[in-house]
Amino acid sequence: MARPRPRRRTRHNSSVPFFGRVVAATLSALVLLGTGFAWYSVDALTTGLERLDGLGLGGGQDGAVDILLVGTDSRTDAHGNPLSDDELAALRVGPDVTTNTDTIVLVRVPNDGSSATAISIPRDSYVDVPGIGKSKINAAYGATMAETRQRLIDAGDTDETEIARATEQAGRQALIKTVAQLTGITVDHYAEVGLLGFALLTDTVGGVDVCLNEPVDEWMSGANFPAGEQRLDGAQALSFVRQRHDLPRGDIDRIVRQQVFMASLVHQVLSAKTLTNPAKLQSLSDAVTRSVVLDANWDVVKFVEQLSDLAGGAVKFETIPVADLNGTTDYGESVVLVDPSAVRAYIGSVVSGTAAARSTPDKSSMKVDVSNGAGVEGLAGRVSTALIDAGFGRGAVSNYGGTSTETKLYARDTDNDLVQAVAKTLGGPDRVTDESLPDDRVRVVLGPDYAGPGSDQYTDPDQDTDGASAGTSATPIPPAPPIDAGRNGPKCVN
């Protein structure tokens, strides 16, 4: 297999809706397998794609194909060729360089191909990154690349081509693991797209319809549009989905912009008019091969054959729940706070068959007895109330009859997910096996060392346990209604 050429990573201050152009363009070319059009289009598409090896992907063993779609701001095409000056001018982007991934979408397609769910992850989500620690999720790729590069240089490596290959692979692997850890879904396939593909695909389908509630004129993104329904070409559409300033909820509203654009794009590409136009199909194929990178083990033809029943209305767009848009780290960086358990529970509720859906138990089913062995008046009652507020079941409250020097948690199975959740809520006391307890009961004995919820020492309930705190208006943002690609006409947005 030919060694991939190193590609420069570039930057501007926005994210781009890559789900539409990857999935819709690929579908539009390959669905022709069932409509009698020439095989040469399929062959040209599959042989012309840039492929990636060694990403540590899953195998689709959970009843669905899970695809991680990553958008970069690359000023090169998928094969590492620099964009022309005319193309850069048309895209209205500068020469800044970065390795961040500003669009992250997880797409789940059941093995019967009957539907698809695309789940957006805000780029500033503050999450655990394997090998790095807490970071914005869009920095997982770049931070891992930088660390890997330095390690290789320190080890004496001097081959820049090999260093570039190894660092990009490590960055992609880190992002894949980070998304899987956050969502509870094992990633089966990986698709990466640069800026160029967005404009190419939009122009190929003759522009995409959008609708605005109010007129907009925002210079940083170049968005300057009247209110109402309108059709945008590639460059205009890029400005439409880049805007985040002057929007009520910033990046969250930008994700909504992206999703309504994706839905309209998918709807147009899957329409009969597009699918029966050989010239447009060839242009779609050209756009994909020039701008999309896929993992080496993805049999795209087989995958699209599974989608023979997919219609525009069977594609929905969701966004993970956000705890606070205005969180800050210990060192003052602005981040979006997310609760991984809430993210997995939400994904499990909207996507059937996920690991999250199978393994997210009901906290209220675990009752917690609390005994006060700390000698602090009223402590057991306050701790019990804190546990109930956290969603656990009400248990008995009492004074401990023996001597307790440290806080302990007793349970029949100390590795049970709910038992671990109770321990985490209380600050991580030692867990002790007690086979006399039923499976749905935990007993906590508070010692003089207890400093968790309900104690006088617990003074910062809004502080994130991993070094980030909530903003002044830390009200959880409820998930928005899903965007449906099958609706008639584009959904009007801010």
Side-chain angles (χ1 to χ4, degrees), residues 366 368 387 392 409 418-426 442 444:
M366 180 63 74
V368 185
L387 288 166
F392 298 102
L409 183 153
L418 284 177
V419 173
Q420 294 186 51
V422 173
K424 181 177 180 180
T425 301
L426 297 178
V442 168
V444 177

Side-chain angles (χ1 to χ4, degrees), residues 82-406:
L83 303 186
S84 69
D85 291 341
D86 288 343
E87 288 171 330
L88 290 174
L91 296 175
R92 302 191 185 108
V93 293
D96 295 339
V97 176
T98 189
T99 50
N100 287 351
T101 49
D102 280 343
T103 301
I104 303 169
V105 183
L106 185 63
V107 183
R108 185 172 178 84
V109 183
N111 287 341
D112 63 6
S114 59
S115 63
T117 304
I119 304 168
S120 296
I121 301 173
R123 65 176 191 167
D124 289 342
S125 299
Y126 198 56
V127 298
D128 286 308
V129 178
I132 299 294
K134 297 293 287 189
S135 173
K136 291 182 179 181
I137 196 168
N138 76 325
Y141 188 116
T144 302
M145 282 183 64
E147 185 175 271
T148 303
R149 177 181 176 80
Q150 190 59 53
R151 176 171 51 79
L152 292 174
I153 291 174
D154 291 345
D157 289 354
T158 58
D159 187 327
E160 282 296 330
T161 300
E162 284 299 317
I163 290 174
R165 182 199 62 78
T167 56
E168 288 194 343
Q169 183 180 61
R172 291 174 178 123
Q173 289 173 339
L175 180 59
I176 289 166
K177 291 177 182 177
T178 301
V179 170
Q181 184 172 283
L182 174 66
T183 62
I185 294 179
T186 299
V187 177
D188 300 316
H189 292 296
Y190 179 89
E192 185 177 298
V193 191
L195 282 175
L196 177 66
F198 174 76
L200 289 178
L201 185 57
T202 302
D203 287 336
T204 295
V205 299
V208 173
D209 294 329
V210 301
C211 182
L212 285 169
N213 291 318
E214 302 289 342
V216 60
D217 186 0
E218 198 280 306
W219 68 270
M220 292 187 69
S221 63
N224 187 353
F225 308 112
E229 189 169 332
Q230 54 208 287
R231 176 159 291 199
L232 306 183
D233 63 23
Q236 292 172 323
L238 191 58
S239 294
F240 176 82
V241 299
R242 285 169 63 188
Q243 184 185 353
R244 65 187 176 97
H245 297 284
D246 297 341
L247 295 178
R249 299 185 303 168
D251 280 341
I252 296 299
D253 281 332
R254 176 167 57 177
I255 285 177
V256 173
R257 288 266 192 103
Q258 295 172 4
Q259 290 179 342
V260 297
F261 186 91
M262 297 177 205
S264 186
L265 178 58
V266 170
H267 185 74
Q268 286 178 227
V269 172
L270 293 179
S271 70
K273 183 177 181 180
T274 301
L275 293 177
T276 55
N277 187 323
K280 285 189 176 182
L281 287 165
Q282 185 60 54
S283 296
L284 284 169
S285 177
D286 293 342
V288 172
T289 55
R290 194 174 175 208
S291 57
V292 178
V293 180
L294 301 179
D295 68 87
N297 297 320
W298 195 351
D299 185 340
V300 180
V301 174
K302 181 179 178 181
F303 172 66
V304 176
E305 284 176 337
Q306 292 178 314
L307 303 180
S308 58
D309 294 328
L310 182 65
V315 183
K316 288 186 171 59
F317 302 85
E318 306 271 356
T319 305
I320 65 168
V322 170
D324 184 24
L325 277 173
N326 302 306
T328 53
T329 65
D330 290 342
Y331 43 90
E333 183 182 20
S334 177
V335 295
V336 172
L337 297 183
V338 295
D339 178 354
S341 61
V343 171
R344 289 190 287 270
Y346 181 70
I347 290 176
S349 71
V350 300
V351 179
S352 63
T354 66
R358 295 191 300 272
S359 63
T360 303
D362 178 10
K363 283 185 177 181
S364 65
S365 66
M366 180 63 74
K367 296 179 176 61
V368 185
D369 299 332
V370 184
S371 292
N372 188 352
V376 179
E377 184 177 355
L379 179 60
R382 295 196 299 272
V383 172
S384 178
T385 298
L387 288 166
I388 293 169
D389 290 343
F392 298 102
R394 183 186 301 274
V397 176
S398 64
N399 289 319
Y400 186 58
T403 301
S404 175
T405 59
E406 60 183 17

Side-chain angles (χ1 to χ4, degrees), residues 3-49:
R3 178 186 301 162
R5 282 174 286 182
R7 290 189 294 277
R8 294 178 63 208
R9 296 296 169 193
T10 55
R11 181 185 187 274
H12 63 74
N13 65 350
S14 64
S15 56
V16 186
F18 297 104
F19 165 77
R21 63 181 178 278
V22 177
V23 172
T26 304
L27 284 175
S28 64
L30 296 183
V31 161
L32 296 183
L33 288 169
T35 62
F37 277 86
W39 274 82
Y40 77 89
S41 296
V42 177
D43 183 64
L45 177 65
T46 56
T47 59
L49 287 169

